[in-house]
Amino acid sequence: EISRKTAPLDLIVWPGHVVIVLDKNTAIESSLSRGGVVMSGLTDRLRSIMSERVPADKWHPSSARTFVIRRWHDKN
């Protein structure tokens, strides 16, 4: 359900990490263990994130087990 609500350039954020929604099917992020910027399926990446974290409406840097999605741009 969350992946259907995302739009290109949305940011999926938790302390120390940012995932960028590239398009309706793709996410990109940096990965030291995989050698730089990697692309992954958006739904698969969200599923992986949600296996370790829960979505939150408000950003709070001390909430290590949550993530937020922010749309910093105007869709128009």
Side-chain angles (χ1 to χ4, degrees), residues 3 6-10 12 14-16 19 22 30-31 39 43 46-47 49 52 55 58 61-62 64 70 73-75:
S3 64
T6 62
L9 303 180
D10 281 357
I12 303 169
W14 62 89
V19 177
L22 186 61
S30 66
S31 172
M39 297 173 68
T43 302
L46 279 167
R47 190 174 292 122
I49 293 166
E52 300 174 0
K58 294 184 180 183
S62 65
R70 291 295 178 251
H73 58 91
D74 186 357
K75 287 174 57 173

Side-chain angles (χ1 to χ4, degrees), residues 22-62:
L22 186 61
D23 59 34
K24 66 180 183 174
N25 298 311
T26 311
I28 60 173
E29 62 192 300
S30 66
S31 172
L32 293 175
S33 65
R34 292 173 39 191
V37 176
V38 294
M39 297 173 68
S40 57
L42 177 59
T43 302
D44 291 340
R45 188 61 184 113
L46 279 167
R47 190 174 292 122
S48 174
I49 293 166
M50 291 181 69
S51 72
E52 300 174 0
R53 304 174 181 285
V54 294
D57 289 329
K58 294 184 180 183
W59 171 257
H60 195 280
S62 65

